[in-house]
Amino acid sequence: MDISHLLTDSSRNMEASLVRELLHYSQQPEMLSLAGGLPDENLMPNYPDLSMMLDSQQYGASEGETELRELVVSLARDIGIHTTKNNVLITSGSQQGLDIASRLILDGNSTILTEQPTYLAACQVFNLQGANVQGVESDKHGMSIPALRDAIERSKPKAVYLIPNFQNPAGHCYGLKRRQEIAALLDEKNILLIEDDPYRDLCYENVDLTPITSLMRSAPWLYLGSFSKILWPGLRVGYVVSCDAFSPYLVKVKQAIDLHSNRLSQHLITSFVRSDAYPAHLKNLQQEYKVKRDAMAKELKERLGDVVEFTIPSGGMFFWVKLKNGLSAIKVMESALEKNVLVLPSVPFYPTRHPESDAYLRLSFARVSISEMSRAISILSIVIRDQRE
Amino acid sequence: MDISHLLTDSSRNMEASLVRELLHYSQQPEMLSLAGGLPDENLMPNYPDLSMMLDSQQYGASEGETELRELVVSLARDIGIHTTKNNVLITSGSQQGLDIASRLILDGNSTILTEQPTYLAACQVFNLQGANVQGVESDKHGMSIPALRDAIERSKPKAVYLIPNFQNPAGHCYGLKRRQEIAALLDEKNILLIEDDPYRDLCYENVDLTPITSLMRSAPWLYLGSFSKILWPGLRVGYVVSCDAFSPYLVKVKQAIDLHSNRLSQHLITSFVRSDAYPAHLKNLQQEYKVKRDAMAKELKERLGDVVEFTIPSGGMFFWVKLKNGLSAIKVMESALEKNVLVLPSVPFYPTRHPESDAYLRLSFARVSISEMSRAISILSIVIRDQRE
């Protein structure tokens, strides 16, 4: 049966995802994976007592549960975003926030600017709308201001999509000055900012985390938050905080696409975040991940220090490791796979052709034990050195 | 702040929903509402024991939880659809199934055929893709075969969207012959069928419920199922069973839009549907709703029998009540609202202009007590008779 005549152009062009295929390998029992973007389930707390949450059974409001929206208002206030619950939409993960934003503004005639590299599942949803996704030169301090100005003037984008804190995959964290410059430029050019901030609480150093949206004065903005990296990703709870003008559109799309996000998850999140256990839980997460981060930094330095380059990330889950001497990340990934070690090559993370798109490995430290990490990096060392000969 | 320049044409044209506005009224404490499409929460069972469902906390598979997919395979088999779990996608309610299907096949150059009237939130999602939604003449036995043939030949649709069992809003149930004729016509013309079947278990008579997809031999098809009317709609769990050709596309879209549906809900549903309590629960639902249906039929006959026409539905939640003598349903709704009775007029349910689009009221019996029903219909009687003068 051939259905290609039924599909839209965007659907027909949906790419087989290299990452999806690779992540299938991660389920093999003998596979040592540094590839996934999963947080550590051993650090996830038990659910609160569920027996009282019967009010979650009936259909609910498209905007989300009032208590959770009010909680998000206070979380936003704590980080410098002053809003009301009318501008808070609860989504099924921040991935859905990206989808809703894309539905509203992107089509085959649109361009959206992203960092280079960027979160690949964001590109998937932008592409599904048929948009032109254009990477803008970025370094370890974030997107380059001259490059952004140039890209805005040339491609008249609908929006700029940024992950300023501990980006997946590159791990960068923008400094305050860069954040201010970006905000000023977007205000000057009246460009919509979509700011995606799922990793902010996985913070291991004293770094600036000011939301760029909180620095903007006039241009439109959407701020996406998530509970997935700090609590229970399987429950699918995230949120969009929006400038006033967007709010009614966001909720109309939400209603059309899945009516509302599941209520039990919202109640569970609200209950835990409001409890006394929450601050201690965050602190524990940060401590545990910091230990793993430091262990990976040590392993990389000792075993690979002469053949790769990397910056130690101040938060998040990933090391973004550059292979020296023009080695191919894809070839390294393939050889490592033969030795039952799974790593992600950088190619899928570059929306636009880029000279370094095959030069990096993304290594996650969130879910591996320190001994697994050590074993995996030893094997990587063998593989990389073999390739250099 | 003006953001209209950012929106796509479809987004800009999203209509204010009369139904959304009306349903806000339903939350006023003194409002007697027959307007909503909610099932009765008093008939929803308690959750199974949740404390063991810790495996639901981590990210999961885009296709859905294996156990639930296997359960859906057996539920499908029971109703004559023979499939494998590779063709089952778990969605966040069947509303999301509609959205995913629409994303795949509809754009500004597409037409989709629907019943007349039809489920309005389906039209919302078709419209969001910019598609042309065309209603096809339908009667109480379902969509008219000559009208469907004619519509297919004229508008070359991408798909036909049907709700054969206890349709929202009109309450019809297709006979077996009509189902067979539809299947044969769609096979002849090779037209995709999207069959939406959320009410099948709310069945109060011995009527044929054969899925039209199970009668098809060659044309592509998607069958949408839901647990929302029989269990816990707040949890957002539905599914799409697809012909082979569609399956890989469905899961790619699902992954892009929200990664996967929440796992705890899936485990809860699986646990309850597999338990001994489930058949007894369904039986109880059917008995309780049948009593309410009969009570509403009696009230309508006794108080309004001379001024309206209606068929007693053999299942589902709704009476579709036609106002005689050219009365306007919108005017009746407005007058009833002044007396704190909320009913839905038919206008939003007609995708295309139709001479009877303002002639019907949709009345739900699912959530009102029999005394509330009696009071509401008494007031409707006053309102309707006033308007006839």
Side-chain angles (χ1 to χ4, degrees):
Chain A
M1 182 192 290
D2 182 14
I3 59 159
S4 53
H5 63 291
L6 290 174
L7 303 173
T8 63
D9 290 339
S10 308
S11 306
R12 207 178 294 116
N13 293 334
M14 275 192 298
E15 282 166 6
S17 166
L18 172 67
V19 174
R20 261 177 73 82
E21 289 169 37
L22 287 181
L23 291 179
H24 274 137
Y25 285 110
S26 71
Q27 291 168 29
Q28 290 168 10
E30 68 283 3
M31 187 66 63
L32 247 184
S33 176
L34 303 181
L38 276 56
D40 186 351
E41 60 266 35
N42 297 319
L43 301 177
M44 294 177 192
N46 287 333
Y47 290 134
D49 180 21
L50 294 140
S51 56
M52 296 317 297
M53 296 189 186
L54 297 180
D55 190 34
S56 58
Q57 295 185 338
Q58 180 57 281
Y59 280 112
S62 293
E63 295 85 350
E65 299 298 288
T66 302
E67 283 202 347
L68 181 55
R69 290 161 71 218
E70 286 170 348
L71 176 62
V72 169
V73 167
S74 71
L75 294 174
R77 187 174 50 239
D78 290 345
I79 65 173
I81 298 172
H82 298 279
T83 189
T84 67
K85 69 179 195 290
N86 292 340
N87 292 331
V88 173
L89 173 70
I90 304 303
T91 55
S92 304
S94 49
Q95 188 69 27
Q96 192 185 52
L98 284 172
D99 185 47
I100 295 172
S102 301
R103 302 295 285 278
L104 280 177
I105 65 163
L106 297 180
D107 59 21
N109 301 320
S110 312
T111 294
I112 182 161
L113 303 181
T114 73
E115 292 152 330
Q116 182 93 296
T118 189
Y119 173 50
L120 75 98
C123 297
Q124 280 167 352
V125 78
F126 302 153
N127 286 327
L128 194 54
Q129 287 299 104
N132 172 37
V133 182
Q134 193 181 314
V136 176
E137 195 192 310
S138 310
D139 55 42
K140 65 183 180 190
H141 304 292
M143 191 176 275
S144 147
I145 300 295
L148 176 56
R149 179 179 289 277
D150 184 61
I152 290 172
E153 280 159 12
R154 286 211 229 177
S155 38
K156 312 271 183 268
K158 282 290 184 80
V160 180
Y161 169 69
L162 300 179
I163 312 161
N165 299 331
F166 318 132
Q167 192 219 46
N168 172 9
H172 61 229
C173 189
Y174 289 39
L176 178 57
K177 181 158 176 287
R178 186 70 61 95
R179 293 168 194 263
Q180 290 164 334
E181 290 170 336
I182 301 247
L185 179 52
L186 297 180
D187 275 342
E188 177 195 329
K189 299 290 190 183
N190 197 36
I191 300 291
L192 166 65
L193 170 62
I194 301 174
E195 182 168 13
D196 195 2
D197 200 12
Y199 300 99
R200 78 176 290 114
D201 291 304
L202 300 192
C203 179
Y204 320 132
E205 310 295 345
N206 187 14
V207 288
D208 185 84
L209 299 176
T210 306
I212 302 179
T213 49
S214 71
L215 300 170
M216 287 165 69
R217 295 284 159 263
S218 54
W221 56 268
L222 299 170
Y223 175 88
L224 273 51
S226 173
F227 295 100
S228 293
K229 316 300 180 189
I230 54 173
L231 278 173
W232 307 297
L235 294 189
R236 315 308 298 118
V237 182
Y239 51 91
V240 181
V241 183
S242 55
C243 59
D244 290 339
F246 261 104
S247 308
Y249 292 99
L250 292 167
V251 77
K252 281 185 201 168
V253 173
K254 172 65 176 172
Q255 189 190 36
I257 67 179
D258 70 358
L259 301 188
H260 63 82
S261 288
N262 90 87
R263 301 180 73 188
L264 182 56
S265 296
Q266 295 184 55
H267 291 198
L268 288 169
I269 298 270
T270 305
S271 174
F272 189 82
V273 173
R274 286 207 161 139
S275 74
D276 294 334
Y278 183 63
H281 166 68
L282 281 188
K283 196 168 243 169
N284 184 51
L285 266 186
Q286 290 154 358
Q287 282 169 355
E288 296 280 339
Y289 281 141
K290 184 175 181 179
V291 165
K292 290 196 190 186
R293 179 209 61 178
D294 291 345
M296 184 170 274
K298 182 165 179 285
E299 290 288 333
L300 289 172
K301 189 170 166 210
E302 287 176 3
R303 299 185 193 273
L304 292 173
D306 56 323
V307 293
V308 303
E309 288 167 8
F310 63 93
T311 303
I312 299 177
S314 43
M317 297 183 188
F318 308 111
F319 276 83
W320 188 239
V321 176
K322 185 176 183 181
L323 300 164
K324 283 181 176 174
N325 293 100
L327 252 58
S328 155
I330 288 192
K331 291 204 171 89
V332 168
M333 177 273 289
E334 288 169 346
S335 302
L337 200 52
E338 290 168 15
K339 296 181 188 299
N340 283 332
V341 169
L342 187 61
V343 294
L344 276 194
S346 46
V347 171
F349 296 97
Y350 284 86
T352 345
R353 201 179 289 274
H354 190 279
E356 292 193 323
S357 63
D358 191 23
Y360 293 82
L361 301 173
R362 188 193 79 174
L363 306 180
S364 172
F365 54 83
R367 271 182 101 225
V368 280
S369 68
I370 293 181
S371 62
E372 287 169 335
M373 198 188 285
S374 180
R375 226 166 67 239
I377 292 175
S378 306
I379 290 169
L380 266 184
S381 176
I382 294 168
V383 160
I384 289 171
R385 287 172 206 288
D386 275 352
Q387 296 219 354
R388 285 165 63 91
E389 283 155 20
Chain B
M1 183 191 292
D2 182 15
I3 60 159
S4 53
H5 63 290
L6 289 174
L7 303 173
T8 63
D9 290 338
S10 308
S11 305
R12 207 177 294 116
N13 294 334
M14 274 191 301
E15 282 165 8
S17 166
L18 172 67
V19 174
R20 261 178 73 82
E21 289 170 38
L22 287 181
L23 290 180
H24 275 139
Y25 285 110
S26 70
Q27 291 168 28
Q28 290 168 7
E30 67 284 3
M31 186 66 62
L32 248 183
S33 176
L34 303 181
L38 276 56
D40 187 352
E41 59 266 36
N42 297 319
L43 301 177
M44 293 176 194
N46 286 335
Y47 289 135
D49 179 20
L50 295 143
S51 55
M52 297 317 298
M53 295 190 186
L54 297 181
D55 190 33
S56 58
Q57 295 185 337
Q58 180 57 279
Y59 281 111
S62 293
E63 294 86 350
E65 298 298 287
T66 302
E67 282 201 348
L68 181 55
R69 289 160 74 219
E70 287 169 348
L71 175 63
V72 170
V73 167
S74 70
L75 295 175
R77 188 174 49 240
D78 290 346
I79 64 173
I81 298 173
H82 298 280
T83 189
T84 68
K85 68 179 196 290
N86 292 339
N87 292 332
V88 173
L89 173 70
I90 304 302
T91 55
S92 304
S94 51
Q95 187 70 26
Q96 190 183 54
L98 284 172
D99 185 48
I100 295 172
S102 301
R103 301 296 283 278
L104 279 176
I105 65 164
L106 298 180
D107 59 21
N109 301 320
S110 312
T111 293
I112 182 162
L113 303 181
T114 74
E115 293 152 329
Q116 183 93 297
T118 188
Y119 173 50
L120 75 98
C123 297
Q124 281 167 354
V125 78
F126 302 153
N127 286 326
L128 194 53
Q129 287 300 104
N132 172 37
V133 182
Q134 192 180 315
V136 176
E137 194 192 310
S138 310
D139 56 42
K140 66 183 180 190
H141 304 293
M143 189 176 275
S144 146
I145 299 295
L148 176 56
R149 178 178 291 277
D150 185 62
I152 289 172
E153 281 160 12
R154 287 211 231 178
S155 37
K156 313 271 184 268
K158 282 289 185 82
V160 180
Y161 169 69
L162 301 179
I163 311 161
N165 299 331
F166 319 130
Q167 192 220 44
N168 172 7
H172 62 228
C173 190
Y174 288 40
L176 178 57
K177 182 159 175 288
R178 186 70 62 95
R179 294 169 192 263
Q180 291 164 333
E181 289 170 336
I182 300 248
L185 178 52
L186 296 180
D187 275 341
E188 178 197 327
K189 299 291 191 183
N190 197 34
I191 301 291
L192 166 65
L193 170 62
I194 301 174
E195 182 168 13
D196 195 2
D197 200 12
Y199 300 99
R200 78 175 291 116
D201 290 305
L202 300 193
C203 179
Y204 320 133
E205 308 297 343
N206 187 15
V207 288
D208 185 85
L209 299 176
T210 307
I212 302 178
T213 49
S214 70
L215 300 169
M216 286 165 69
R217 295 285 158 260
S218 54
W221 56 269
L222 298 170
Y223 175 90
L224 273 51
S226 173
F227 296 101
S228 292
K229 317 300 179 191
I230 53 173
L231 279 174
W232 307 296
L235 294 189
R236 313 309 297 118
V237 182
Y239 50 91
V240 182
V241 183
S242 55
C243 59
D244 289 339
F246 261 105
S247 307
Y249 292 100
L250 292 168
V251 77
K252 280 185 201 169
V253 173
K254 173 62 177 173
Q255 188 189 39
I257 67 179
D258 69 359
L259 301 188
H260 64 82
S261 288
N262 91 87
R263 301 180 73 189
L264 182 57
S265 296
Q266 295 183 56
H267 291 198
L268 288 168
I269 299 272
T270 305
S271 173
F272 189 81
V273 173
R274 286 206 160 138
S275 75
D276 293 335
Y278 183 63
H281 166 68
L282 280 188
K283 196 167 241 167
N284 182 53
L285 267 186
Q286 290 155 0
Q287 283 169 356
E288 296 279 338
Y289 281 141
K290 184 175 182 179
V291 166
K292 291 196 189 186
R293 179 209 60 178
D294 292 345
M296 184 169 275
K298 183 165 178 284
E299 291 288 332
L300 289 172
K301 188 171 167 207
E302 286 175 4
R303 299 184 194 273
L304 292 174
D306 56 323
V307 294
V308 303
E309 289 167 9
F310 63 92
T311 304
I312 298 176
S314 43
M317 297 182 186
F318 307 110
F319 276 82
W320 188 239
V321 176
K322 184 174 182 181
L323 299 165
K324 284 181 176 172
N325 293 100
L327 253 58
S328 155
I330 287 193
K331 290 206 173 87
V332 167
M333 178 272 290
E334 287 168 346
S335 301
L337 200 53
E338 289 167 18
K339 297 182 188 299
N340 283 333
V341 169
L342 186 62
V343 295
L344 276 194
S346 46
V347 170
F349 296 97
Y350 284 86
T352 345
R353 201 179 287 274
H354 189 277
E356 292 192 324
S357 63
D358 191 24
Y360 292 82
L361 301 174
R362 188 193 79 175
L363 306 180
S364 172
F365 52 84
R367 271 181 101 226
V368 279
S369 69
I370 293 180
S371 63
E372 287 169 333
M373 198 187 286
S374 181
R375 225 165 68 237
I377 292 174
S378 305
I379 290 169
L380 267 184
S381 176
I382 293 167
V383 161
I384 289 171
R385 289 171 205 288
D386 275 354
Q387 297 220 351
R388 285 165 63 89
E389 283 153 20

